[in-house]
Structure formats: structure tokens, C-alpha cells
């Protein structure tokens, strides 16, 4: 293990569920621009991950797309059909995904377990987060994400990522994200 609680939780989850991964450590990389320099030798589709809440603050959305693409929030609102969105606070990131700003990742969904005790934040499926994925990720051989801390990147095969989503059990939807920056 790495000695980093957040990373070790993710790695243990992956190992406990027999999901293969490769871990790459690096300095803190809170932005895609900084990360691209460290990712250049990692053969994987790297992702940008954004965490939003709706205008009422009772729904949370994780949006994952290929890192060279750009989305403006108004276009995203139309694509998601979830109403007006704003970035979720650090407190919401911690509560819903066990994450800190700069480390948003779908691997944080390990902190969004199913519950039968629904609150106003829960979707009818028992989860607090709905995931939206760039449809181009369907064909990616390998995908990389921060393991809930921006001092490392984890590479998963597409098959293992899809198994991860199945284990999580929440709702996800594919989006056509076509804007490149």
C-alpha cells in the first residue's frame, strides 16, 4: 500500500473486487494542464472529471469526459437535462465522494454506496450521485483517473471500469461530448 489513506482505500476496493489496475504516482496534479505533462507516457485515455449539484442542492452529478474536450456549463445543462447546475462545494465532494477539490474521480463512487434509507439527496436508486460519461470512453482500451487523490493516477481496462460501475450499482448515462479545446 502507499500510506495515503484515500489511495489505499481505492486500491483495496479494486483488489477486493478483482479489478486489475496500474498505479502511477506523481506530484499533485490539480488541473488537466499540469497532468498532461505527467500522463504523456501513460498509454490510456485520460479523463476530466467535474462534480456538480443542481440548483436546489439535492442532486449531485459526476461528469467524466476525455481530457482534451471542453464543455461550457450551459451546454452541459442542456445535455444533462437536469436543470441549472453549479460546481459542488468541497464539503459536498467529501460527503458524496470522499474527495477533495482537484481529485474528482469516478473512483470516488466507492463512497456512494447503495442505501435503502433515502434522504432528499438520494436518487430513487439509493445512490447520491448520477454519473454521466463521454460516449467516446466506450471504445477506450484503457481509462485513467485519480484514485481519490491527485498525487497518483490509476489505469483500468475498459472492461474493469465497466465492472467497477456494475459493482457500484448507481445510474449512469452516456453523453455525446464533441467539443475539443
Amino acid at each position: 500500500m502507499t500510506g495515503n489513506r484515500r489511495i489505499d482505500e481505492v486500491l483495496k476496493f479494486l483488489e477486493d473486487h478483482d479489478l486489475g489496475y496500474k498505479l502511477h504516482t506523481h506530484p499533485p496534479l490539480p488541473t488537466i494542464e499540469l497532468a498532461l505533462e505527467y500522463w504523456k507516457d501513460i498509454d490510456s485515455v485520460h479523463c476530466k472529471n467535474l462534480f456538480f449539484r443542481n440548483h436546489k442542492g439535492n442532486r449531485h452529478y459526476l461528469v467524466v469526459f476525455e481530457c482534451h474536450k471542453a464543455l461550457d456549463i450551459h451546454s452541459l445543462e442542456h445535455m444533462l437535462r437536469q436543470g441549472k447546475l453549479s460546481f459542488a462545494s468541497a464539503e459536498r465532494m467529501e460527503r458524496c465522494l470522499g474527495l477533495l477539490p482537484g481529485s474528482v474521480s469516478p473512483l470516488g463512487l466507492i463512497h456512494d454506496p447503495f442505501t435503502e434509507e433515502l434522504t432528499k439527496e438520494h436518487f430513487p436508486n439509493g445512490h447520491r450521485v448520477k454519473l454521466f460519461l463521454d460516449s467516446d470512453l466506450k471504445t477506450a482500451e484503457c481509462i485513467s483517473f485519480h484514485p481519490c487523490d491527485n498525487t497518483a493516477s490509476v489505469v483500468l481496462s475498459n472492461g474493469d471500469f465497466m465492472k467497477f460501475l456494475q459493482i457500484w450499482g448507481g445510474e449512469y448515462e452516456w453523453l455525446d461530448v464533441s467539443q475539443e479545446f
Side-chain angles (χ1 to χ4, degrees), residues 3 15 36 47 55 59 76-77 117 126 129 131 160 165:
E15 291 165 5
L36 287 172
C47 295
H55 71 284
R59 295 285 186 253
L76 186 61
E77 288 169 347
E117 297 178 31
V129 179
L131 177 63
D160 281 335
L165 294 180

Side-chain angles (χ1 to χ4, degrees), residues 115-139:
T115 184
E116 291 183 10
E117 297 178 31
L118 302 181
T119 69
K120 66 177 184 144
E121 279 191 341
H122 287 87
F123 287 92
N125 66 12
H127 289 275
R128 289 178 297 197
V129 179
K130 181 172 181 179
L131 177 63
F132 290 92
L133 297 161
D134 181 348
S135 59
D136 285 348
L137 299 179
K138 287 181 187 179
T139 58

Side-chain angles (χ1 to χ4, degrees), residues 52-63 73-86 121-125 127-133 171-175:
F52 295 97
R53 68 174 188 86
N54 68 354
H55 71 284
K56 291 181 183 177
N58 65 336
R59 295 285 186 253
H60 297 92
Y61 310 100
L62 178 58
V63 180
I73 197 162
H74 297 296
S75 296
L76 186 61
E77 288 169 347
H78 291 294
M79 290 173 70
L80 301 188
R81 302 174 312 279
Q82 304 295 318
K84 187 163 174 50
L85 302 174
S86 59
E121 279 191 341
H122 287 87
F123 287 92
N125 66 12
H127 289 275
R128 289 178 297 197
V129 179
K130 181 172 181 179
L131 177 63
F132 290 92
L133 297 161
E171 183 181 353
Y172 64 91
E173 188 176 319
W174 297 98
L175 298 174

Side-chain angles (χ1 to χ4, degrees), residues 13-15 17-22 106-107 110 137-138 140-145 154-168 172:
F13 181 93
L14 296 174
E15 291 165 5
H17 291 89
D18 205 24
L19 300 172
Y21 67 88
K22 291 181 184 172
L107 297 174
I110 67 172
L137 299 179
K138 287 181 187 179
E141 190 173 319
C142 293
I143 308 170
S144 70
F145 310 103
V154 167
V155 178
L156 298 167
S157 71
N158 195 308
D160 281 335
F161 179 61
M162 296 311 296
K163 283 187 223 171
F164 172 84
L165 294 180
Q166 190 173 39
I167 293 162
W168 164 57
Y172 64 91

